[in-house]
Amino acid sequence: MLKLPQPDGFLSAWDVKGVAADVIGELPLPGIEGSPLDPGDIWSAVILASVNQTSVREVCAENHEAPCDDTVFDWLHTLDRGWLEFAANLLFMQLAMTILDPERSRTVSIDFVDNPYHGVHLDEEGELCRMSPKDGTTTCHRYCTAYLVSNGKPITLSMTYVRSDEKQADAVERVLDRVEAYPFEIELLLADSGFYNERVIRRSQEIAATVVPVAEKGDRLEEKLETHKSYMTTYRMYKDSERELRFPLAVSVSYQNGDRGKHGEVVRGYAACDLSDRTPAQVEHCYRKRSAIESSYRLFRSARAVTSTQDPIVRFAFVVVSFLLENLWLVLRWAVVARPRRGGRDLPEEFTFSVFCDWIRHALEQELERRWRIEMNGVGVPDAYTAAAG
């Protein structure tokens, strides 16, 4: 069970570090038989590397009580992807349901997270996915995530590792299965155009009303988007085949009145499953709610350990730790620090994610006895320089 600090006093850096260590310490780490260390020693180094946005090697070199970096990676290489993912998703649910009312319906967004990767695969080509050029590479490790669309609680609900040798719809279904297991009702599912896929749409609409931008492919779809007026219609994907799928199509026409220096008409189409009673403008407004996911991703990336390891499971573990830290911050901010008021809790502006990370860093560096010194060169200023200065 998650044990939060009592909300009737003061929240300290040591409280935050302790809860973070407890949560991350639940991730299964088999380790090395006969090692004098325990998983907590390993995860402490990973957590500190995450909040510092640095490498485990640097953390181990800069702190007296940190284990040897080779030992840390020997342990991390024993991680099992299946158990890691299973445990991570249980923790996501535990954290989320600490602050979510199961009686309220929710809007959920699904998305892919690409972690750019420079290098070759470790064991199998399927470890790496292709992406648009970014950070000087077109290869990445990819993850599929689901998060809650909420101003005060944009919490990650589920995630899974995505391989290039599997259908992306398989990864989406894994995430949707886990989201469907939550005790609250899902009112609306949102996804970007990368999820415009027959299997994904069928599975999504089994759970809730769904909005997905259509991919502009095929003459029939292009014809429906050649308009100057918004309208609702029905579209048949894979028309007249066994796979035929019918769904409401919202065609929205808007105008860029100098937004970002652009002008003119913009036509967008959306698969609007179970939303045929809405106007195209209302469907587009629903979809725009998912833009908040970018803020969530910026936070997670600001607490991610740096690594050069080829091991995709270790890299996945670092991403999991980052998302768990972000979720824990959301839980502490709402459940322990935010003050009740009429209409909802008053979220504290001063307890930012950056402050949360700073507090963990401070407490862990004290615990691990950070080295506040560096070896001198034993030479000093050359005599010739001293004489010239005289």
Side-chain angles (χ1 to χ4, degrees), residues 29 32 35-46 48 55-76 364 367-369 371:
L29 186 57
I32 307 165
S35 172
L37 301 176
D38 62 45
D41 299 315
I42 308 303
W43 289 125
S44 289
V46 173
L48 186 52
S55 67
V56 167
R57 298 191 187 283
E58 188 169 334
V59 164
C60 294
E62 293 182 347
N63 295 275
H64 282 289
E65 297 300 319
C68 168
D69 59 310
D70 287 336
T71 302
V72 172
F73 275 100
D74 284 344
W75 274 65
L76 292 174
L364 276 176
E367 183 177 283
L368 297 177
E369 297 184 17
R371 302 175 193 267

Side-chain angles (χ1 to χ4, degrees), residues 18-29 39-40 43-44 47 91 321 324:
V19 179
D22 289 344
V23 170
I24 305 302
E26 291 296 316
L27 296 174
L29 186 57
W43 289 125
S44 289
I47 293 170
L91 288 170
V321 168
L324 286 173

Side-chain angles (χ1 to χ4, degrees), residues 130-300:
R130 305 290 294 181
M131 66 174 187
S132 300
K134 184 178 181 181
D135 295 342
T137 183
T138 58
T139 57
C140 66
H141 290 100
R142 178 167 294 158
Y143 317 103
C144 183
T145 68
Y147 91 108
L148 194 73
V149 179
S150 169
N151 290 332
K153 306 171 185 176
I155 201 161
T156 298
L157 301 174
S158 175
M159 71 180 300
T160 189
Y161 181 95
V162 183
R163 293 177 57 92
S164 63
D165 55 4
E166 70 171 334
K167 293 182 179 180
Q168 290 190 337
D170 291 338
V172 176
E173 287 194 358
R174 288 197 298 272
V175 166
L176 291 178
D177 287 345
R178 290 162 182 161
V179 168
E180 194 175 22
Y182 274 79
F184 53 76
E185 179 182 351
I186 301 172
E187 178 182 12
L188 183 64
L189 274 170
L190 306 175
D192 71 12
S193 58
F195 295 84
Y196 182 65
N197 173 286
E198 175 228 349
R199 275 183 58 194
V200 173
I201 293 175
R202 286 189 191 278
R203 182 68 183 93
S204 298
Q205 65 182 3
E206 290 175 358
I207 300 174
T210 302
V211 180
V212 182
V214 299
E216 297 181 17
K217 297 179 180 179
D219 294 338
R220 290 190 302 111
L221 190 53
E222 288 183 4
E223 182 179 344
K224 290 185 179 293
L225 297 178
E226 289 180 359
T227 182
H228 301 285
K229 183 178 180 180
S230 299
Y231 69 101
M232 295 291 295
T233 185
T234 298
Y235 185 71
R236 297 162 67 185
M237 183 185 286
Y238 299 112
K239 183 179 179 182
D240 298 329
S241 73
E242 293 183 358
R243 297 174 61 188
E244 180 175 296
L245 172 64
R246 297 190 182 197
F247 55 79
L249 176 66
V251 179
S252 176
V253 179
S254 58
Y255 299 89
Q256 300 179 101
N257 298 317
D259 297 338
R260 299 182 180 178
K262 298 180 180 180
H263 298 270
E265 195 175 73
V266 180
V267 182
R268 299 184 180 91
Y270 300 91
C273 303
D274 295 329
L275 293 172
S276 57
D277 59 334
R278 308 287 182 92
T279 67
Q282 289 172 329
V283 171
E284 187 165 59
H285 177 73
C286 288
Y287 176 73
R288 287 178 176 172
K289 293 179 180 179
R290 72 172 299 280
S291 62
I293 198 170
E294 295 304 325
S295 297
S296 178
Y297 286 167
R298 280 196 296 272
L299 289 182
F300 124 75

